[in-house]
Amino acid sequence: MCGIIGCAGSEEVVPVLLDGLRRLEYRGYDSAGLAVLGEGGGIQILRAAGKLHNLQQLAYHQPLHGTVGLGHTRWATHGAPTEANAHPQTDAAGTVAVVHNGILENYAGLRQELIDAGIELKSDTDTELIAQLLGREQGGLISRVVAVLPRLHGQFAVVAVHRADPDQVVAFRQGPPLVLGLGEGENIVASDVTALLHRTRRVVFLENGDIADVRRGGVRVLSSGGDPVERPEETLDWDAGRVEKGGYRHFMLKEIFEQPDAIRNTVRSYLSSDRAAIRLEGSGFTSQELATVARVHLVACGTSWHAAQVGKFLIESLAGLATEVDYASEYRYRAPLLAGDVLVVGVTQSGETADTLAAMELARDGGARLGTICNVRGSSSWRLAADRMLTQAGPEVGVASTKAFTTQLVALLLLALGLRRARGLADSADAQLVTELQRLPLAVEETLRAERRVYQRGTEVLTARSSLYLGRGILYPIALEGALKLKELSYLHAEGYPAGEMKHGPIALVEDRFPVVAVALDTPTRGKLLGNLMEVKARGATVIAVAERDAEEVEQVADLVLPVPRVHPLLQPVVAVLPLQLLAYNVAVELGQDVDQPRNLAKSVTVE
């Protein structure tokens, strides 16, 4: 979850490191630090608790000079977010500096071993243990890493420097991602491609167990035993400008308004040449293989889990296949029933979510066919899966997901159509749905043009200490997502619930002016949902509803309607979530919260 960057180049490295950390801060912002190899053979270190700007101020007043170094922005695991626990961490003699993302599962045993050896530990981190172990070995940094790697148990991505070799950065991983950026006169290693795009698009993704020797003149990739290995070079098609705010107040707001293009690009990438049908064959999902699928399991976490819940409705209604949705963190421990005719799809924005990857590995080892829907080509889930669908959201910097979620919804619909076609169920209605899919970006644009004053009124209502979000059928997961967005951004409690279940407990919370948000688009169950809203209105609730502009029956019940255009019933989740994203955003801004970097959260959850 932490952000890591290391660079060996020909110019002053601190600006490169700080710029990379700025682009990685969404991965963690409890503390930050730098280590720079000086010309005199020493390691210069700066660390600061809190957000990156504290480190930037420190670096301005205490400048470091050198062309090789590493940086880190932390999401705290072992130890409080203090300067002492910030990375980089060093060994006792100050010969090795280390930054680290992940968790050592044998932390307690290694810590006691070092204490018994007379080592005085200066932090509570597991990262310091790695530095101390490397410092106790002999030889060059590569040979030290080869010796220490077998002793580290858990999930970790590590970048290190040694003062004896001022031209070298060494990186190694087991679990969390690391990517090499290949430049002219400089080479970089980072935990995410967002830190590299402004300097190079040529990248190499490291595999588990890889060790990278990074120098100004080139990179070598070695196995965990120190033998050379080949890893393919890729050229990214992401635009570096897309990780800048572009005049918007926050990344999240920019990314909300990028959704029409993100959806348009995702749909186009899977259209047939005549734009009349969906073709998944180029991604590995061949019709012959999809025809053998008897069951589908969707595994995901957080917002991606909500997308998977919508996916269950789509796959079962279009393809007639029984579909299960699991939290990936539970799937890996429940001994799921797997076979060769089960398609398991890991849904993950980053492609690096630790629990989702572990669930996918369990499915693969159990003999299931393995697929993924992700937003990063070359990510761990991309390389793990046999069948792959790439959402075209582009870089998403805001921690609370928006455009990655809506493109996941689109990808799941495309997968459902692919399964339907492979099972021989396609008919003339499919072509109409494909046409509606191509019109969807226009409906999204219309939704995002809603008058700001509408959301200002909603903001006034939702600043209450708690609220209830209701939905039914395919829109119930959207209620869950809306509640999650409000929690993530505003720190106000919100609970998503199936509307029909509301009277079986949650209605006890309802009192005068209690906010209830309903996803009330035109579905076969809208009449029942309106009945549920009458129940809470009778108890004094204030009702905000997402509904079509001409939905008079909703206007008669709701105190405020957030308008959306009419779309195909299977596309309703996409347009329905947009007002909830904007509502959560506006509430958070009104309360003065950090929209892009909510407390305690990180973008890419690479630890269990």
Side-chain angles (χ1 to χ4, degrees), residues 248-330:
Y248 286 88
R249 183 175 177 183
H250 297 97
F251 278 110
M252 181 182 178
L253 187 60
K254 172 177 176 280
E255 289 156 4
I256 287 173
F257 280 88
E258 287 177 339
Q259 289 177 108
D261 281 341
I263 291 168
R264 186 177 290 113
N265 292 336
T266 301
V267 173
R268 284 177 177 173
S269 63
Y270 295 103
L271 285 177
S272 60
S273 57
D274 61 1
R275 302 169 69 96
I278 299 301
R279 293 289 182 268
L280 302 182
E281 282 78 356
S283 57
F285 287 102
T286 67
S287 293
Q288 293 85 351
E289 290 164 342
L290 290 180
T292 67
V293 173
R295 290 177 291 140
V296 178
H297 294 180
L298 303 176
V299 293
C301 302
T303 286
S304 295
W305 185 84
H306 296 155
Q309 287 284 357
V310 174
K312 172 183 171 68
F313 281 93
L314 296 171
I315 294 170
E316 290 187 342
S317 63
L318 286 173
L321 286 170
T323 302
E324 299 179 23
V325 179
D326 276 83
Y327 286 112
S329 56
E330 293 297 322

Side-chain angles (χ1 to χ4, degrees), residues 307-465:
Q309 287 284 357
V310 174
K312 172 183 171 68
F313 281 93
L314 296 171
I315 294 170
E316 290 187 342
S317 63
L318 286 173
L321 286 170
T323 302
E324 299 179 23
V325 179
D326 276 83
Y327 286 112
S329 56
E330 293 297 322
Y331 188 81
R332 60 189 294 197
Y333 295 114
R334 77 165 178 86
L337 300 177
L338 297 168
D341 60 357
V342 177
L343 172 63
V344 178
V345 181
V347 185
T348 161
Q349 180 269 322
S350 67
E352 303 293 351
T353 307
D355 287 321
T356 304
L357 292 173
M360 291 173 65
E361 289 169 351
L362 174 70
R364 178 198 61 192
D365 296 343
R369 183 157 190 88
L370 189 59
T372 189
I373 294 173
C374 74
N375 191 44
V376 183
R377 186 186 301 274
S379 61
S380 294
S381 73
W382 183 267
R383 299 194 301 275
L384 182 62
D387 303 322
R388 303 168 307 193
M389 291 190 69
L390 184 70
T391 56
Q392 299 286 343
E396 188 179 67
V397 176
V399 168
S401 181
T402 52
K403 61 178 180 173
F405 175 70
T406 49
T407 54
Q408 285 173 345
L409 296 180
V410 169
L412 285 160
L413 177 54
L414 297 173
L415 176 59
L417 284 169
L419 286 164
R420 176 178 172 85
R421 176 170 168 264
R423 289 169 58 80
L425 302 175
D427 56 26
S428 59
D430 293 54
Q432 181 60 36
L433 180 52
V434 171
T435 299
E436 293 295 326
L437 256 175
Q438 294 175 73
R439 294 174 181 165
L440 179 61
L442 298 177
V444 172
E445 289 171 351
E446 181 180 341
T447 305
L448 295 176
R449 285 196 297 267
E451 296 180 27
R452 179 170 173 76
R453 63 180 178 84
V454 174
Y455 289 95
Q456 289 173 335
R457 289 176 58 199
T459 297
E460 294 168 5
V461 173
L462 278 178
T463 50
R465 61 184 174 86

Side-chain angles (χ1 to χ4, degrees), residues 454 457-458 461-462 467-470 502 510-520 529-547 553-562 583:
V454 174
R457 289 176 58 199
V461 173
L462 278 178
S467 57
L468 190 61
Y469 282 62
L470 301 178
M502 176 268 304
V510 177
E511 55 187 356
D512 190 45
R513 301 181 69 183
F514 184 92
V516 174
V517 181
V519 188
L529 173 63
L530 293 178
N532 301 139
L533 296 183
M534 292 301 296
E535 293 165 359
V536 297
K537 285 280 287 185
R539 290 158 176 82
T542 301
V543 174
I544 300 173
V546 178
E553 65 272 41
V554 178
E555 291 181 351
Q556 293 171 4
V557 177
D559 298 282
L560 174 65
V561 174
L562 304 179
L583 198 57

Side-chain angles (χ1 to χ4, degrees), residues 20 72 89 109 126 153 177 231 313 325 340 411 487 495 500 518 564:
H72 187 269
Q89 293 286 321
D126 50 353
H153 301 161
R231 297 289 179 244
F313 281 93
V325 179
K487 284 182 282 194
E495 184 175 5
V564 298

Side-chain angles (χ1 to χ4, degrees), residues 7-13 66-68 184-187 216:
C7 178
S10 56
E11 61 184 76
E12 285 286 348
V13 76
T67 60
V68 176
E184 297 297 330
E186 83 176 4
N187 290 292
R216 171 187 172 186

